[in-house]
Amino acid sequence: MEIENNVTMDMDIQKSAGMGAILEPGKVTFRVWAPNAEKVFVKGDFNEWKDDEVALKEEANGYWAGVTNLAQEGDEYKYVIHNNDTIYERNDPYAFEVTNSNGNSVIRTLNFNWDDDGFQIPAWNELVIYELHVGTFNRQKDDQVGTFNDVIEKLPYLQELGINCIELLPVAEFAGGISWGYNPAHPFAIEQDYGGPDAFANLVNECHKMGIAVIMDVVYNHFGPSDVDLWQFDGWSENDKGGIYFYNDHRSDTPWGDTRPDYGRKEVRQYLRDNALMWIEKYHCDGLRMDATSYIRYEGGGIGYDTEIEEGNILMRDINAEIKEKYPHVLTIAEDLKGDSRVTNDPIDGGLGYGSQWDMEFVHPVREVIQDTHDDSRDLQKIVNALEFKYSGDYFRRIVYTESHDEVANGKARVPEEIQPGDAESDFAKKRAILGLVLTLTAPGIPMLFQGQEFIEDEYFQDTEGLDWNKLEKHTGIKNLVRDLINLRTGKSDRSFGLRAQGITILHFNQDTKILAYLRHDENEEKEPVMVILNFTNTDYNAYGIGIEDHSEWKLRINSVYKEYDNAFTANKAKNLNIEEESTDEKNWTGFVDIPAYGALIFTK
């Protein structure tokens, strides 16, 4: 067996192209970081799994490397690490594929046959994100998780709905086959039960061909906690903690295990940076949503008087800055949920540089108001505050939603079920859930829906239960309503630019009648404004007056309780505004309109 040791001896932190199993014509280079190892070998299919034939040579800064001309793509392998008379068999931290979470690493490249050239994520103000979980979105059999190919099967449906961006719950290899994905065991590998690397690349490729961007959810606040070969990787640890990839003191503690990465080590920061860039460079992803970033920047997640982790801030700033410089169209999203503009502020202003963040200032008050069982106690000021809130001086620095994987699990149900427990298909539940959808898709911000929300799915999100597509047949009309809303939001329907602009003006706000009206518009010019009128009561109002600036004609585009959207709805399509020169809301003109109970009316000029 011929082993070459033509490795560079003066490397500092290695780039992703120089870590793991690097395939070149006629040879494979193996490189791994194991600073406490005494000896390192690699074994695999190529040497009949012999422990001590292929030795790696120690480089600078704790790296080990070696080259063999016997290994080839598809071979399985593991590292054999010696430390203090103990031998550890470890998977490659940079393995692009593993046979399973407890299996072997696989030598492979990620050179796919892409034909998505020229695709670019839509402008952020045009995005409508659809969050989905691969394992449950289109599950074909009760005893089998869904796959990437199953998602591809539903892409024409999403395209017809108007979705132009999907956000996937994490797909990095995790323990077992059933999971939300927030327990990454092998961060660079793709979950085999979903189809593995090739199937994932094919999903991204097919999405792009249909005009749909892909955002990947990544988890850098913890690893595992199970099936994690990174744990005490080279045999060293302190306090019986995780070793070189993890904090070995109290900072290791997270709600998901004792596995917070050690952001203070430049090698660990490099590892996470390399992972972030992999999704963009190797898999053509258009964005990254980073899970629970508050647990990267605070020891306790930012609850109360909490100690900040500055090196975690450095990690996020560096990743965001590099992505912004190299790939300015890629959208990075923080799930921080602290209402903190520092997350999206530019690093030059002390911020972390994320493109946008999930907005707790929208989801919580909106759900509270539409779930309130008493019309009289509904506080519309909370809706106004939710509509007008923004981060870093830009409304599109926030993701607005009423349902997400977190908001419909862990003791919280889908919005219709929360509105009317046990009777989620009642008129009250459907109409008020639709109010939440209208607010989401007309508020300034980047709107997001969760899988099945468009057809009033009312079941808790569970990774063991597939999405109930039978409800689509029952609620096709409501799905059509959501489609019509999305078409206005994205500009497929004309005269709707105001929904993609920064401006919002509250036109009418009455705590007694519970009627709210607002104008979405360009802040700098009169360009295709959109008027939204919402009724938060079970009362029909006839000839209700809304103050407007002039006597321009306003055309009704959507009535959310129009009977063609649901057989149980009785409202007619309603009429355009009847405009008279009469003072209302300190305006010289009044638009009179019939507003149905729990209805939303959307007008364009």
Side-chain angles (χ1 to χ4, degrees), residues 134-208:
V134 173
T136 59
F137 175 60
N138 187 30
R139 183 174 286 181
Q140 300 297 309
K141 297 180 180 179
D142 290 341
D143 60 347
Q144 293 180 9
V145 298
T147 66
F148 298 124
N149 286 337
D150 294 332
V151 176
I152 290 173
E153 182 181 293
K154 289 294 184 183
L155 291 182
Y157 164 81
L158 292 175
Q159 185 184 52
E160 190 273 337
L161 184 61
I163 296 300
N164 56 24
C165 182
I166 60 173
E167 180 178 306
L168 303 180
L169 270 66
V171 303
E173 185 74 37
F174 48 74
I178 295 178
S179 171
W180 289 17
Y182 295 97
N183 54 331
H186 302 276
F188 282 77
I190 305 296
E191 175 60 37
Q192 287 288 12
D193 286 284
Y194 290 169
D198 294 284
F200 175 61
N202 188 43
L203 168 60
V204 177
N205 194 53
E206 292 302 313
C207 283
H208 287 175

